[in-house]
Amino acid sequence: MPLSGEVLIVDDTPENLQVLSAILRAEGLNARLAPHGAFALASVQARLPDLVLLDVHMPGLDGFETCRRLRDDPATCAVPVLFLSASDTAEERVAAFTAGGLDFISKPFNAAEVVARVSTHLTLARLRRELALANTKLAGCVRDEQAQRLLVERLAADRQVRLDLALDAAGMGIWALAGDGAGIVCDAEACALLGCAPTMSGGWAEFAAGFAAEDRARLEAAWQAGRHRGQPFECEGWWQAAGDRRRIRIRGRSAGPGEQGMLGLVWNVTREHGFQARLAQSEKLESLGRMAGGLAHDFNNHLAVLVGNFELLDAAVGRVPGVRRRLDTIDRTITAATALVRSLLTFARRRTVEMEVIRPTALLGDLHEMLASVLGRQIRVVREADDDALVVEASREQLQNALLNLCVNARDAMPEGGELTLGAAEVAIVSEHCRICGEEITGSFVSISVRDTGAGIPFSLQERIFEPFFTTKAEGQGTGLGLAAVAGCVTTHHGHLLLDSTPGGGSCFRILLPLAQAAVGDGSAGAGSGAATAVGRKAMAAMGAMG
C-alpha cells in the first residue's frame, strides 16, 4: 500500500538529504529538506509536516536542541521526530528519547528500515490524530449528553414540582401496590389523609379494611375489575382514621391484565360529598316544603273545626264521668295534631317567627322541671347550666320544641333507663363542621346541649337523621319530622348543630347560637308549675308522635 504524507528531512550533509528524499519519494511520500536546525524550525512553523527525520550532529542547533524546541511549542509538540545518527551509543539513544524523539535510526541506514520505521510512525501519528479527533467528538457527545441529561433532569424536576403543587392544591396523595401485591407504599400526603404508616405490609386487604364495612364490597369489586382488565378504577367510601370519619376517593390502575402491581391517587372528598348531599337535600326540602305547607294549611282548617266542636262538647258534657276520659283522649290528639301542623308550617317556612332575648339557663330550668316529672324514674335528668349571664336571641317556642324533640329521641334511645343531661355554656369552637349546613365553624357561641347515655346512632345513619320523614322507629310510632324540625329551628336562628355519637356510647346534640348583647325580657323565666307539667305531658306526647 503506497504511503502518503509529508516528511521533513533535516541533515547538514547534502548527500544524506538526496538519498533519504529519493527513498521516501519512491514510496509516494512528499519530502522537504532542511540543511540545519534553525532552518528546520522555520520550515515547521511555515507548514506542519507529518513527520521529521532529524540528524543529531549538526552545527549551530544540534538535533537534541531542535527536538526540544519542537516539543516546547504547543503548535509542533505532536509532530513525530525520528533521530538519525552515525554514533550508535547507548548514551546518545537515551539523550534522543529524553529530548522527545520517538525512534532512533543508525547511519549508515538501510532503505527498507527507513521506510518501515517512517511508515510505522506515520501510521501511529495518523491513528493518534484519528483517536484525538474521536476523543474530541466523544467529549462533545458526552457534553451534549450531559447537557441533555441536565435539561431532562431540570424538566423532570420542574414537572415534579408542578405535580407536587397540583397534588397539594388538590389535596391528593399517591399510593403504590407492590408487584407481588404484598405491600402498599404511601407518600406523605396519602399518609396524612389516611392516618397510616408509609408502608402497609398487608397489601390491598389491609388497605381496604380501613373503609367502612358497607363500602368494602363495592370497593373490592371495582379493584378486581381494574386489576384483571388492566383498566383504571375509581371508588369512594367512608374511611375511619384517628377517630375521624372522612369520605375518601381512590383512583388506581394496574400494570396490566393479571398484574398485582398498581399505582394510584387518594384524596379527601368529604366536603364535595357534603355539598352534593346538601344540594340533593335542599332540592328535596324545597319540594317537601311546598307539599308540607299545602297539607298543613288544609289540615289546619279541618283542625279548627275539630277544636271548635271539642270546646262546645267540653262545655256541654265535660263533667260527665264517662265522657271525660274520651274528651281527654280527643284533647291529647288535638294537641298532637296542632304540634304537627305547627312543625309542618315551620318546616315550610310559612310561620312568622318572633324572636326575643332569653336566658338558656332559664329555658333549661323549665325544661328540666317538666322532664323530671314526665320521663319517669328510670331516666335521671341532670342540668349543667348555671351561667345566668348567657343570653341568646331566639324564638322561645321553636327552641323549646327543638329541645323537646331532642329529649324525646334521647328517651327513646334509653328504653332501659339512663341519664339525660341538659347543658348551656359559652364555648369556643375551632374547625368543626355543622351537621346542618356542612360549613366549617370557628368562633364563640352559646352551646345548648342534650346528651344521653343511650344506644348511640350508627355512622351510616348520621347523615340522614335530619331528613324530613326519615325515621328508624316502627311504623305508626313516628313521622320522621322531629329532627327535621330541629334542623329547621337551627337554620331559622342562623345557628349550627354538632353531633357526637358512637354506637353504644350515647349521643350529644349541641345547638350553637350566636351570643346576644341585649337585655332579657320579662318573660324569660318559665312558669315551672303544675300547669307547665301538664302542658309538658301533652307536648311530650306530641313530640313522640313526630319522631
Side-chain angles (χ1 to χ4, degrees):
M1 180 178 178
L3 300 177
S4 63
E6 187 174 69
V7 179
L8 175 64
I9 306 172
V10 186
D11 199 314
D12 61 338
T13 304
E15 292 80 4
N16 289 337
L17 292 176
Q18 291 176 1
V19 172
L20 288 171
S21 63
I23 292 172
L24 297 179
R25 286 169 182 162
E27 298 296 330
L29 294 171
N30 183 27
R32 288 162 49 191
L33 307 178
H36 52 76
F39 190 94
L41 293 176
S43 178
V44 170
Q45 291 292 336
R47 188 172 75 245
L48 206 64
D50 296 308
L51 185 142
V52 176
L53 282 175
L54 180 61
D55 188 24
V56 172
H57 299 287
M58 293 182 298
L61 289 176
D62 63 6
F64 297 143
E65 181 61 25
T66 302
C67 184
R68 279 192 289 270
R69 293 191 183 186
L70 288 173
R71 291 290 175 261
D72 291 340
D73 188 347
T76 61
C77 64
V79 177
V81 175
L82 278 63
F83 278 102
L84 301 169
S85 178
S87 175
D88 190 12
T89 64
E91 292 79 2
E92 195 166 85
R93 286 176 175 273
V94 171
F97 287 116
T98 303
L102 297 180
D103 207 346
F104 193 94
I105 302 175
S106 301
K107 296 179 182 180
F109 43 77
N110 180 276
E113 179 186 5
V114 171
V115 172
R117 291 180 182 268
V118 169
S119 173
T120 298
H121 286 287
L122 284 175
T123 302
L124 290 175
R126 177 177 55 79
L127 292 176
R128 281 194 293 269
R129 288 194 300 273
E130 291 177 354
L131 180 61
L133 181 61
N135 286 336
T136 301
K137 291 182 178 180
L138 180 61
C141 292
V142 170
R143 286 193 298 271
D144 292 343
E145 184 179 350
Q146 289 176 339
Q148 291 178 357
R149 183 183 297 113
L150 288 175
L151 179 60
V152 170
E153 289 175 352
R154 291 195 187 102
L155 291 174
D158 181 66
R159 290 183 64 183
Q160 185 63 46
V161 170
R162 293 172 182 269
L163 177 62
D164 291 342
L165 288 174
L167 291 176
D168 185 61
M172 291 181 171
I174 299 176
W175 60 271
L177 179 65
D180 57 2
I184 286 182
V185 178
C186 299
D187 68 355
E189 184 66 24
C191 291
L193 282 173
L194 301 174
C196 66
T199 301
M200 287 186 277
S201 58
W204 180 259
E206 182 181 354
F207 188 39
F211 285 88
E214 63 266 24
D215 296 323
R216 291 174 197 162
R218 179 165 40 85
L219 185 69
E220 180 70 18
W223 178 74
Q224 290 290 351
R227 183 170 67 93
H228 290 299
R229 298 172 188 169
Q231 296 177 350
F233 81 95
E234 185 171 311
C235 193
E236 69 177 63
W238 289 107
W239 180 276
Q240 189 74 25
D244 181 28
R245 195 167 187 258
R246 62 191 67 170
R247 190 80 174 178
I248 293 296
R249 181 176 298 166
I250 62 170
R251 178 182 296 163
R253 182 168 187 168
S254 64
E259 293 289 338
Q260 293 284 339
M262 187 172 286
L263 182 68
L265 298 172
V266 56
W267 66 101
N268 190 339
V269 293
T270 305
R271 289 176 61 84
E272 177 186 341
H273 179 78
F275 289 149
Q276 292 175 348
R278 286 192 296 277
L279 177 61
Q281 184 171 352
S282 176
E283 294 173 348
K284 184 190 299 183
L285 290 177
E286 184 178 356
S287 60
L288 287 175
R290 288 194 296 267
M291 180 186 72
L295 289 174
H297 180 269
D298 294 340
F299 188 62
N300 204 30
N301 290 332
H302 296 299
L303 192 60
V305 176
L306 290 174
V307 171
N309 282 280
F310 169 77
E311 291 178 351
L312 293 174
L313 285 173
D314 190 29
V317 295
R319 295 187 179 182
V320 177
V323 178
R324 180 73 263 166
R325 180 172 56 85
R326 299 186 182 276
L327 288 177
D328 289 340
T329 301
I330 296 173
D331 186 21
R332 287 193 299 271
T333 304
I334 290 175
T335 301
T338 302
L340 180 60
V341 170
R342 185 183 298 112
S343 297
L344 286 171
L345 289 173
T346 300
F347 173 67
R349 290 186 174 87
R350 297 193 179 185
R351 292 180 63 237
T352 301
V353 179
E354 296 181 0
M355 299 289 189
E356 59 180 303
V357 178
I358 61 176
R359 288 193 183 95
T361 52
L363 184 66
L364 292 183
D366 294 345
L367 190 60
H368 175 264
E369 181 180 352
M370 179 177 64
L371 293 174
S373 62
V374 300
L375 289 182
R377 294 182 179 180
Q378 75 276 15
I379 295 180
R380 179 171 174 261
V381 183
V382 179
R383 184 166 69 99
E384 294 179 350
D386 53 8
D387 188 356
D388 290 333
L390 291 178
V391 290
V392 295
E393 187 176 2
S395 164
R396 179 183 302 278
E397 179 188 4
Q398 267 205 19
L399 189 56
Q400 186 177 52
N401 287 339
L403 294 172
L404 279 172
N405 274 308
L406 293 176
C407 291
V408 168
N409 283 353
R411 177 200 65 187
D412 295 341
M414 300 183 290
E416 304 299 327
E419 185 172 278
L420 176 64
T421 303
L422 307 174
E426 182 178 353
V427 295
I429 302 297
V430 179
S431 299
E432 295 201 43
H433 288 85
C434 175
R435 290 300 183 108
I436 304 300
C437 65
E439 295 178 357
E440 186 175 348
I441 314 166
T442 297
S444 296
F445 299 89
V446 173
S447 171
I448 305 175
S449 61
V450 176
R451 185 173 70 250
D452 65 66
T453 57
I457 304 172
F459 291 119
S460 58
L461 298 181
Q462 290 184 15
E463 291 188 337
R464 300 195 59 196
I465 58 176
F466 298 102
E467 294 181 9
F469 305 114
F470 176 79
T471 180
T472 58
K473 296 180 180 179
E475 185 175 355
Q477 296 184 10
T479 64
L481 288 174
L483 289 179
V486 173
C489 172
V490 172
T491 302
T492 300
H493 288 78
H494 305 290
H496 300 285
L497 188 139
L498 302 179
L499 169 60
D500 298 314
S501 182
T502 55
S507 303
C508 179
F509 291 84
R510 291 186 289 166
I511 297 176
L512 304 180
L513 299 178
L515 285 161
Q517 303 297 330
V520 181
D522 294 336
S524 64
S529 62
T533 302
V535 172
R537 290 195 181 95
K538 293 181 180 181
M540 290 292 286
M543 298 300 173
M546 291 173 61

